[in-house]
Amino acid sequence: MNTGTLNDKESWVLAWQTKLHRWAVTDKEKKYEDIYNLVCDLRTLEAAWNHVKANKGSKTAGVDGRTRQYIETNVGIGKFLEDIRKDLKQGTYQPQPVRERKIPKRNNQFRYLGIPTLRDRVAQQALRMVLEPIFEADFYVSSYAYRPGRRAQDAIQDIYHLARPSIGYSWVIEGDIQGCFDHVHHGLLLQEIRRRVRDEKVIRIIRKMLKAGVITELGSFRKTITGTPQGGILSPLLANIYLSRLDR
């Protein structure tokens, strides 16, 4: 199946991303009912693969043991992506559990990353490419974390601006949401997604990803009743969608 050159595919993806964002900005009540076909399109999956393979994490395997090199050498990118497309299209796609990895923190504690398989990373990236232009239209201007084109330096500059006496603010509140990614309530998150997305196929695949579970470092399986894995490509966007409820 010939879908054009790489530039053509990326231009095609950018074109519908621009439309989705423009519609979301123009109509704050708009509900998207038919966007799953964009996730399943081979051109979207190819663009998603290009993003995933450019990440250093492509050398790290999930629970299936497959790295980028393994897929390129033993499977072939064309077959790899076509298999994902087929399963997504037929509704038979089943995300695998993430592989847990313990990372030490400065305070002698640990945080736990959940490493998805490359197959699931591509599917998550395809979903992110579709959902991000829609929900970016609704996020608060003062929200900076995990958002495209925004950096910590931008947040610091905003703080400097708001701290000026002429602005009129008197209070600064510093806080932290303990274990934010680990405690995301799946039901409330899906409720937030439904504020914009009425395509049940999209909701269904996100629910599957949230419920896929974890293989711990000791090799045991743990159900994921709450949370979205820190380390998943889609997780930062899902966290921002979830926290937009707090912002409101």
Side-chain angles (χ1 to χ4, degrees):
M1 180 177 179
N2 183 8
T3 53
T5 66
L6 180 60
N7 287 337
D8 289 339
K9 296 162 190 172
E10 291 179 343
S11 296
W12 177 80
V13 169
L14 180 60
W16 57 251
Q17 284 182 316
T18 303
K19 287 181 181 179
L20 290 176
H21 184 67
R22 183 172 66 245
W23 294 338
V25 170
T26 303
D27 185 357
K28 293 295 185 179
E29 301 300 321
K30 182 174 178 58
K31 307 292 191 296
Y32 293 82
E33 299 180 351
D34 187 21
I35 54 176
Y36 188 69
N37 61 314
L38 294 174
V39 178
C40 300
D41 194 285
L42 190 57
R43 290 167 289 186
T44 303
L45 294 172
E46 288 173 335
W49 167 254
N50 289 331
H51 176 90
V52 169
K53 76 175 184 180
N55 193 302
K56 292 181 180 179
S58 64
K59 298 178 181 179
T60 304
V63 294
D64 62 354
R66 294 186 168 191
T67 62
R68 171 191 170 185
Q69 183 179 5
Y70 177 91
I71 290 170
E72 291 176 337
T73 304
N74 298 281
V75 181
I77 303 305
K79 184 180 187 308
F80 174 70
L81 295 178
E82 181 57 34
D83 287 346
I84 297 175
R85 187 201 68 81
K86 181 180 177 182
D87 284 347
L88 287 172
K89 197 80 173 177
Q90 294 179 350
T92 56
Y93 189 93
Q94 185 58 52
Q96 292 183 271
V98 298
R99 180 168 69 88
E100 186 177 74
R101 186 174 180 183
K102 186 164 61 174
I103 306 296
K105 297 170 67 174
R106 293 180 180 178
N107 56 1
N108 294 322
Q109 295 183 350
F110 297 91
R111 65 187 178 100
Y112 292 88
L113 293 183
I115 303 172
T117 64
L118 277 172
R119 173 181 167 89
D120 289 336
R121 277 176 251 178
V122 170
Q124 287 188 28
Q125 176 62 20
L127 274 165
R128 177 181 175 179
M129 289 161 63
V130 174
L131 294 175
E132 195 166 63
I134 297 170
F135 286 96
E136 270 292 319
D138 297 335
F139 292 155
Y140 277 63
V141 67
S142 55
S143 171
Y144 288 94
Y146 305 115
R147 293 184 61 186
R150 290 179 169 235
R151 308 170 302 161
Q153 290 89 335
D154 298 320
I156 292 171
Q157 184 62 39
D158 201 11
I159 290 171
Y160 273 116
H161 171 72
L162 295 174
R164 294 165 56 191
S166 60
I167 300 298
Y169 285 105
S170 304
W171 290 88
V172 174
I173 300 175
E174 180 181 1
D176 180 44
I177 301 175
Q178 185 175 4
C180 177
F181 282 84
D182 297 334
H183 295 100
V184 168
H185 188 290
H186 292 170
L188 293 178
L189 170 60
L190 294 174
Q191 188 179 87
E192 282 299 308
I193 294 173
R194 281 193 171 99
R195 289 170 61 91
R196 280 294 202 172
V197 176
R198 293 292 176 86
D199 190 328
E200 283 303 313
K201 293 179 180 178
V202 172
I203 301 296
R204 194 175 303 122
I205 191 66
I206 293 175
R207 184 186 290 111
K208 282 184 176 182
M209 289 175 173
L210 292 171
K211 299 295 186 183
V214 175
I215 300 297
T216 70
E217 290 191 317
L218 297 177
S220 61
F221 175 79
R222 184 175 71 245
K223 291 183 178 180
T224 44
I225 300 172
T226 63
T228 179
Q230 190 168 354
I233 288 178
L234 192 59
S235 293
L237 176 61
L238 295 181
N240 273 338
I241 293 172
Y242 187 70
L243 290 174
S244 65
R245 186 185 185 102
L246 175 64
D247 287 336
R248 289 198 303 274

